[in-house]
Every structure is written in C-alpha cells, then in structure tokens.
Amino acid sequence: MSAGEPVTAPLPLQADAAPVPRRRRRWPWVVLVAVILLAVVAAVVAELVARSIVPQRVRETVTAELGLPAGHPMDVGLGGGLLVPQLIAGRLDDLRIASDDVPLPSGEGVTADAEVRLNGVPLRDGATSGAGGAELRFDRDDLEVMLGSAGLPPALEGAELALAEPDVVLSHDVPLLGASIPIEISLAPGAADGDLTFEPTGASVGGAALSLDQLAAMAGTEVGPVPVCLADRLPAGLTLTDVAVDGQELVASLDIAPGTLGDPALLEPGTCG
C-alpha cells in the first residue's frame, strides 16, 4: 500500500442475512369490497325509491278507476319481501288497499269502508293475477238504503233499523184496532248464493215476545228471509262469502277470483239473479 492512499476495511460477508419481503399489492381486494358496498347501497336506494313510487301509482290508479275525488285518503301496503325483484318480474306478490267511504256503483249513494287484499298483482299485460279477498263495512244508514231497495214486507216498510250484535233489528209501529203497536223483529245476517240474507230470528209486539208465525198472522203477511243482492254493486269477480254484525257496522267478507284483475269481464259489475 503506498503512502497517502486511504485505508479501507473490507465489508463483512452477510451470507445468512434474511431477504427483504416484497410488499403485497392489496388494491384489487379494496376495489372488490368497494364495488360490493356500492352495489348494496344502490339496491337499498332502489328499494326505497320503489316503495315510495309504487304506492303513489296505486293510489292514482284506484282513485281514477273508482271516480274518487283527488286526495281521497287511501292506505296502500306492499307486504314483505324485496320490491325491486317483484317489479323486474312484473308482478306484486302482496298488495293491500284500504279506504273509507268508498262509493258502490249502484246510484243509491251507498258507501263502504273497504279493505282489499290482492296476491300476484300483474304489472304487465297478459300476466294473470292471483286470488284475493275483500272486506266491506257498512254503517246503519247505508244498510237501511240497501234494505229499503230489497222490497221489505208491507208491515216492515219504513221500519227503523238498528244494529244490535249479532242481529239487525227492525222497529215499526203497526196500527191495530185503532192503536199503534210497536213491533220489533230481529234478523240474522248471512250470505247465500252471493246475496246478503236477513233471516228472521225473533219478534216482539209491545214488548211481549211472539213467534214468527204469530207475528205473520198479526201482520197479515208472511215474514220470511229478506235477500239483498250485492252482485250489481260489485265486480263480477267478487263473491260474497260471509256477513256479520260487528258493533255498529255490518261486515261483508268477499273472495276475489284468480284472474280478476286481468279480465275485463270480471271487472264489470255482476248481475242479480
């Protein structure tokens, strides 16, 4: 080594030194998670939008079909399950519509509080609707109108009507031997061949109980069942199945035939036989 040259020490050999690990690229997994989260958010937003728009469209359609005034109160329920897949399939699994004071197309001014439950509601032409059910609630005034148009026996014409669960009670004053005698007759509501029926179950004259035969002899007329047709007030696809008095209302339960919503003939009012 010559004078003036710097002195250097040899570097130690590191034969056993561990290799430096390469940093893994994690970005593809981050992107995948982000895409999944965005898809979930989009699905939730689409579901919320659908559940906001569909009830409003149902209200508009029903309001127009029934000739209800704009803004008539109506509750629309879409049942459980996701709505977006149902819209894609073109069929609502479960639809419930409830509204008060719905006019029946009879021209008599009769209204009912209605609740309708529909299954498999088609959203596209050619789709077949499922079966369903409906409940109509009539108050005393509406029932009085329907009974008045049914042709009561002369002895009961103009009778005052009251609802006394489980019966309908008709009260009337009948002139007899120069006096006015109060008569009451109890009628049990029911359903037969699609009609409302009111079957006499008991009677009283001046507070004394009478048999129906005795009442018929006194009134000079037969007192039998009073049928009231509902078919001409409802779509032909609806069939009356049960009737009962519930408090101060008469409740009529109806079945809705499959295919009714897609068949114009079944949507037309029925006829009384």
Side-chain angles (χ1 to χ4, degrees):
M1 179 180 296
S2 60
E5 292 181 358
V7 178
T8 60
L11 295 173
L13 296 177
Q14 298 181 3
D16 297 334
V20 178
R22 296 180 61 186
R23 187 174 182 181
R24 293 183 180 180
R25 300 175 66 186
R26 298 176 181 271
W27 66 268
W29 295 103
V30 173
V31 171
L32 179 60
V33 171
V35 169
I36 293 175
L37 289 176
L38 287 174
V40 171
V41 170
V44 171
V45 171
E47 181 73 15
L48 293 175
V49 171
R51 288 191 173 272
S52 173
I53 293 176
V54 172
Q56 182 59 34
R57 292 298 302 273
V58 170
R59 290 187 191 94
E60 293 172 356
T61 301
V62 174
T63 296
E65 289 292 329
L66 296 180
L68 298 174
H72 186 88
M74 186 178 304
D75 181 30
V76 178
L78 297 172
L82 294 176
L83 183 58
V84 172
Q86 298 176 48
L87 297 179
I88 295 174
R91 182 182 173 100
L92 294 178
D93 293 339
D94 183 24
L95 177 64
R96 186 185 65 84
I97 305 171
S99 184
D100 294 344
D101 300 323
V102 177
L104 272 61
S106 62
E108 300 170 319
V110 175
T111 64
D113 295 345
E115 181 173 345
V116 179
R117 302 170 301 281
L118 299 168
N119 301 316
V121 179
L123 301 177
R124 298 172 183 164
D125 292 338
T128 301
S129 63
E135 183 179 274
L136 302 179
R137 290 179 170 266
F138 301 97
D139 63 18
R140 186 192 68 83
D141 292 339
D142 292 313
L143 181 55
E144 197 168 54
V145 172
M146 291 191 293
L147 272 173
S149 65
L152 291 171
L156 296 177
E157 288 182 357
E160 183 178 345
L161 183 146
L163 295 169
E165 193 174 347
D167 293 328
V168 174
V169 179
L170 294 178
S171 304
H172 193 35
D173 288 342
V174 176
L176 185 65
L177 300 177
S180 182
I181 307 297
I183 293 179
E184 281 191 357
I185 180 169
S186 297
L187 305 171
D193 300 324
D195 288 342
L196 276 170
T197 60
F198 295 91
E199 181 76 30
T201 57
S204 67
V205 175
L210 289 180
S211 69
L212 296 178
D213 290 338
Q214 290 173 320
L215 177 63
M218 181 176 292
T221 183
E222 186 131 350
V223 180
V226 179
V228 176
C229 179
L230 276 181
D232 60 349
R233 298 176 171 93
L234 301 170
L238 276 64
T239 302
L240 182 67
T241 58
D242 188 48
V243 183
V245 174
D246 181 17
Q248 292 302 302
E249 295 179 313
L250 183 79
V251 183
S253 300
L254 305 105
D255 283 343
I256 301 176
T260 295
L261 296 182
D263 189 339
L266 293 178
L267 290 174
E268 289 293 322
T271 57
C272 295

